[in-house]
């Protein structure tokens, strides 16, 4: 093994460590190193010196060098730089930002569009003139780690004869090229993950910082003095509000069928309603008034405190939720049943082996027909599952109106597209020997499918059907958000009314229902295994 490879790898690792603490951006009297930027909110840059240290350690500690000892520290450095670039491109907030507007306004080729905010100071940097040699060192070191194995390819390949067990044996491929193939795949995946991680704003720290909001949202907030005053006011006014409601109902019934010209003027109506209200208020017993105050206090407390817990346990309301849940299950049953009835026969035309049974001739016309039919059916299945059932429910609600029928149609089409694909793939994976044995006896295509194909695929068909049924129960619970019936409509209505405890009860009911369905589906599935 050439010693130069080890020395250069160690040098690249040390350069990466040194470059991290040397200036990346410098403009008198300001300068920022990689360490400074890491402290300003980009801690992932600390991967750079760590990668350099790993490269140095592996070069010194291992007697025989491998390409991976340099490639993977280099990969870590590239990933960190990609993440930093993603922050600059996708975010205009933070310690370091890009602002190309000065260059666009002045027409300059390159202006000071790199901005660094430190405390209350905003410093502008030219991306070339103010680039520090520390950043250049880091880039050069990372490039060296990624390219050195290629430059010393022959020397690294020679080590295979010294210690063959240290490498994976690959026919017609040298060890270095095997490492590079693996390196390229992993680097591409990490670069995409790093960029999308930043783009999507994923931040475990943000989740931890907002844990208080989650606690307040789930269990309710602490009541302020204004909230307590509001609750007490609603409690005190409860009998008056009840009497006023009855008075308005009385006035509405009294003058409902009377022509407007014969009705008294508004002032007279107001005096009459106030008199009726006082009469109703006087007729409320103390026990009834206390009940009204208690109900008003509970309602006002729920309104101000919010939160999902404790859930609503009123028997009348739970009964209504269960009725809506039965409708949801009915939507899932019909959507799944219709999908299975259509998917099973269609899957025989999507699968190549059963299509050859249906059109057994081997001439050009038959081959073309089989190819066209299989292609067309598969594209039909693609189009049916190409859109989420939620989108299809929106379309059907607009076409046929509100109600569970729209939800059934949406689930039917989407589930048909999924089951048709799964069924056809399972048919193509069956044991061909049984089919050939039956066809050799002169059995027709229908007989072969019934007595050879179906017995092989029936357990899988049942398993996937039950799985989709469970999934459709959950989906049907959401389709109500667009008016497609079921318990989802109630959930949407209660969410809009900020009645989160009722939503919590419905969520618990749905979870228990899915668990019960899963239990019984498992028992049914065992009958076919």
């Amino acid at each position: 093994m050439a010693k130069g490879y080890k020395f250069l790898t160690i040098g690249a690792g040390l350069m990466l460590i040194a470059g991290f603490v040397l200036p990346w951006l410098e403009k008198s009297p300001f300068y920022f190193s990689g360490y400074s930027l890491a402290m300003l909110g980009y801690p992932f840059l600390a991967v750079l010196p760590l990668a350099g240290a790993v490269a140095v350690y592996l070069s010194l500690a291992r007697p025989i060098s491998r390409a991976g000892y340099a490639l993977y520290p280099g990969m870590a450095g590239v990933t960190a730089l990609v993440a930093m670039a993603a922050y600059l491109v996708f975010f205009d907030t933070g310690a370091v930002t890009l602002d190309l507007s000065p260059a666009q306004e002045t027409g300059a080729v390159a202006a000071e569009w790199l901005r660094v905010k430190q405390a209350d100071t905003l410093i502008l940097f030219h991306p070339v003139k103010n680039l520090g040699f520390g950043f250049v060192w880091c880039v050069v070191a990372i490039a060296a780690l990624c390219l050195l194995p290629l430059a010393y390819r022959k020397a690294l390949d020679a080590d295979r004869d010294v210690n063959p067990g240290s490498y994976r044996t690959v026919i017609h491929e040298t060890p270095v090229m095997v490492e590079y193939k693996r390196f390229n795949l992993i680097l591409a995946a990490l670069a995409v993950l790093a960029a999308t991680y930043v783009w999507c704003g994923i931040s475990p720290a943000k989740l931890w910082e907002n844990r208080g909001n989650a606690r307040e949202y789930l269990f309710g907030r602490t009541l302020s003095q204004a909230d307590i005053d509001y609750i007490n006011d609603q409690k005190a006014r409860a009998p008056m509000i009840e009497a006023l409601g009855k008075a308005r109902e009385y006035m509405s019934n009294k003058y409902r069928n009377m022509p407007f010209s014969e009705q008294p003027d508004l002032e007279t109506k107001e005096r009459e309603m106030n008199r009726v209200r006082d009469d109703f208020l006087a007729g409320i017993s103390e026990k009834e008034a206390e009940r009204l105050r208690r109900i008003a206090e509970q309602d006002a407390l729920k309104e101000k405190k919010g939160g999902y817990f404790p859930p609503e346990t009123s028997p009348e309301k739970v009964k209504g939720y269960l009725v809506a849940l039965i409708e949801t299950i009915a939507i899932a049953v019909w959507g799944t049943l219709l999908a299975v009835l259509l998917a099973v026969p269609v899957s025989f035309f999507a699968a190549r082996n059963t299509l050859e049974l249906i059109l057994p001739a081997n001439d050009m016309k038959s081959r073309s027909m089989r190819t066209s039919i299989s292609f067309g059916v598969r594209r039909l299945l693609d189009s049916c599952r190409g859109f989420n059932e939620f989108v299809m429910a929106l379309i059907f609600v607009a076409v046929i109106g509100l109600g569970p029928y729209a939800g059934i149609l949406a689930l039917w089409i989407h589930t048909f597209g999924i089951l048709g694909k799964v069924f056809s793939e399972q048919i193509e994976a069956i044991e061909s020997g049984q089919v050939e044995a039956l066809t050799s006896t002169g059995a027709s295509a229908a007989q072969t499918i019934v007595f050879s194909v179906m017995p092989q695929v029936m357990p899988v068909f049942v398993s996937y059907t039950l799985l989709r049924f469970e999934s459709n129960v959950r989906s049907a619970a959401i389709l109500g958000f667009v008016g497609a019936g079921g318990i989802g409509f109630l959930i949407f209505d209660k969410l809009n009314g900020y009645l989160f405890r009722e939503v919590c009860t419905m969520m618990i009911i749905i979870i228990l229902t899915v668990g019960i369905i899963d239990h019984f589906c498992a028992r049914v599935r065992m009958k076919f295994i």
Side-chain angles (χ1 to χ4, degrees):
M1 175 63 205
K3 293 183 178 180
Y5 175 74
K6 279 195 172 185
F7 292 151
L8 290 176
T9 303
I10 294 171
L14 294 175
M15 183 183 293
L16 193 57
I17 297 172
F20 180 72
V21 296
L22 293 174
W24 281 26
L25 296 171
E26 50 184 343
K27 179 181 179 182
S28 181
F30 303 102
Y31 85 91
F32 295 90
S33 63
Y35 174 79
S36 302
L37 296 179
M39 293 297 102
L40 287 176
Y42 307 97
F44 55 86
L45 290 177
V47 168
L48 296 177
L50 181 61
V54 169
V56 172
Y57 169 77
L58 292 176
S59 297
L60 293 175
R62 302 302 175 92
I64 298 177
S65 295
R66 288 184 55 181
Y69 296 164
L71 288 178
Y72 296 113
M75 178 194 300
V78 172
T79 305
L81 294 182
V82 168
M84 186 66 193
Y87 270 102
L88 295 179
V89 171
F90 297 128
F91 288 93
D92 55 1
T93 58
V96 184
T97 57
L98 295 177
D99 188 359
L100 300 179
S101 56
Q104 295 172 354
E105 294 170 2
T106 61
V109 176
E112 293 180 333
W113 43 260
L114 194 59
R115 302 187 172 204
V116 180
K117 186 175 182 181
Q118 186 180 34
D120 296 331
T121 305
L122 182 64
I123 309 113
L124 305 181
F125 289 95
H126 193 285
V128 178
K129 295 178 181 178
N130 300 135
L131 195 64
F133 60 91
F135 178 77
V136 176
W137 278 22
C138 286
V139 173
V140 171
I142 292 172
L145 290 174
C146 294
L147 298 176
L148 273 175
L150 194 61
Y152 284 85
R153 176 181 170 183
K154 291 183 179 180
L156 292 171
D157 288 341
D159 278 346
R160 181 177 184 176
D161 300 330
V162 177
N163 187 7
S166 65
Y167 290 104
R168 176 185 172 186
T169 302
V170 180
I171 300 175
H172 302 309
E173 287 188 340
T174 60
V176 172
M177 298 315 297
V178 171
E179 291 283 1
Y180 263 107
K181 280 190 174 182
R182 189 183 299 115
F183 167 79
N184 291 334
L185 289 174
I186 298 176
L187 178 59
L190 288 178
V192 171
L193 290 174
T196 51
Y197 180 93
V198 176
W199 189 3
C200 297
I202 301 174
S203 175
K206 183 186 295 185
L207 191 62
W208 177 254
E209 291 170 0
N210 291 278
R211 63 190 184 280
N213 294 342
R215 186 185 304 110
E216 178 179 310
Y217 190 69
L218 291 175
F219 300 101
R221 62 189 182 89
T222 303
L223 298 179
S224 64
Q225 186 59 45
D227 296 330
I228 296 175
D229 294 340
Y230 173 82
I231 294 172
N232 291 333
D233 179 65
Q234 291 295 105
K235 178 180 178 181
R237 295 175 58 237
M240 175 64 72
I241 294 173
E242 178 71 12
L244 183 59
K246 290 183 177 180
R248 287 175 176 169
E249 182 181 2
Y250 169 82
M251 296 294 291
S252 176
N253 293 332
K254 180 178 180 179
Y255 295 105
R256 177 177 299 168
N257 298 320
M258 184 180 296
F260 186 76
S261 58
E262 299 178 11
Q263 295 182 16
D265 55 48
L266 294 177
E267 186 176 351
T268 303
K269 280 186 177 181
E270 185 70 22
R271 287 197 300 270
E272 182 181 3
M273 188 176 72
N274 290 337
R275 185 175 63 256
V276 174
R277 180 201 63 194
D278 294 340
D279 291 341
F280 277 124
L281 183 61
I284 296 176
S285 65
E286 183 58 33
K287 182 178 180 180
E288 177 67 12
E290 184 60 29
R291 186 184 70 83
L292 293 173
R293 293 190 190 99
R294 185 172 63 255
I295 294 174
E297 182 182 23
Q298 292 174 353
D299 292 342
L301 180 62
K302 292 179 181 178
E303 177 187 348
K304 290 299 181 181
K305 187 175 179 59
Y308 281 79
F309 294 96
E312 177 63 54
T313 56
S314 171
E316 295 81 7
K317 292 184 177 180
V318 172
K319 180 180 177 181
Y321 305 153
L322 293 176
V323 172
L325 178 66
I326 293 173
E327 185 178 74
T328 299
I329 296 175
I331 294 172
V333 168
W334 274 104
T336 307
L337 177 62
L338 293 174
V340 171
L341 293 177
L342 185 59
V344 170
V346 169
S347 62
F348 295 130
F349 292 91
R352 288 186 292 270
N353 52 352
T354 50
L355 195 54
E356 290 178 356
L357 294 174
I358 298 172
L359 297 173
N362 200 32
D363 55 89
M364 179 65 69
K365 180 180 178 181
S366 297
R367 290 199 301 270
S368 301
M369 287 182 62
R370 287 197 297 268
T371 302
S372 300
I373 292 173
S374 178
F375 180 83
V377 172
R378 287 180 180 274
R379 298 298 76 76
L380 172 65
L381 297 174
D382 292 342
S383 62
C384 288
R385 68 174 182 275
F387 289 96
N388 187 272
E389 55 265 40
F390 194 83
V391 177
M392 291 187 178
L394 281 171
I395 296 173
F396 283 117
V397 165
V399 173
I400 65 175
L402 301 173
Y405 187 36
I408 291 173
L409 293 177
L411 288 179
W412 175 20
I413 293 178
H414 185 73
T415 306
F416 163 66
I418 294 175
L419 291 182
K421 173 182 171 60
V422 173
F423 288 175
S424 64
E425 291 177 349
Q426 291 300 319
I427 291 172
E428 291 180 340
I430 64 173
E431 175 59 44
S432 60
Q434 298 184 28
V435 176
E436 294 171 357
L438 197 59
T439 55
S440 65
T441 64
S444 65
Q447 291 172 330
T448 305
I449 291 174
V450 171
F451 294 105
S452 178
V453 176
M454 288 302 296
Q456 294 189 63
V457 298
M458 183 59 72
V460 179
F461 278 20
V462 172
S463 179
Y464 277 110
T465 299
L466 295 175
L467 176 63
R468 285 308 307 175
F469 172 64
E470 295 174 25
S471 177
N472 284 344
V473 171
R474 294 187 292 270
S475 298
I478 300 300
L479 295 184
F481 276 51
V482 295
I487 199 171
F489 182 79
L490 285 179
I491 294 176
F492 184 70
D493 182 58
K494 301 304 180 182
L495 282 174
N496 288 336
Y498 301 101
L499 302 175
F500 298 137
R501 298 187 181 186
E502 296 189 39
V503 175
C504 179
T505 301
M506 286 185 274
M507 292 172 63
I508 293 174
I509 290 175
I510 293 173
I511 293 172
L512 293 176
T513 302
V514 171
I516 294 172
I517 291 174
D518 176 69
H519 172 71
F520 283 102
C521 286
R523 298 186 65 176
V524 173
R525 187 167 53 248
M526 292 300 295
K527 301 291 184 180
F528 292 87
I529 297 178

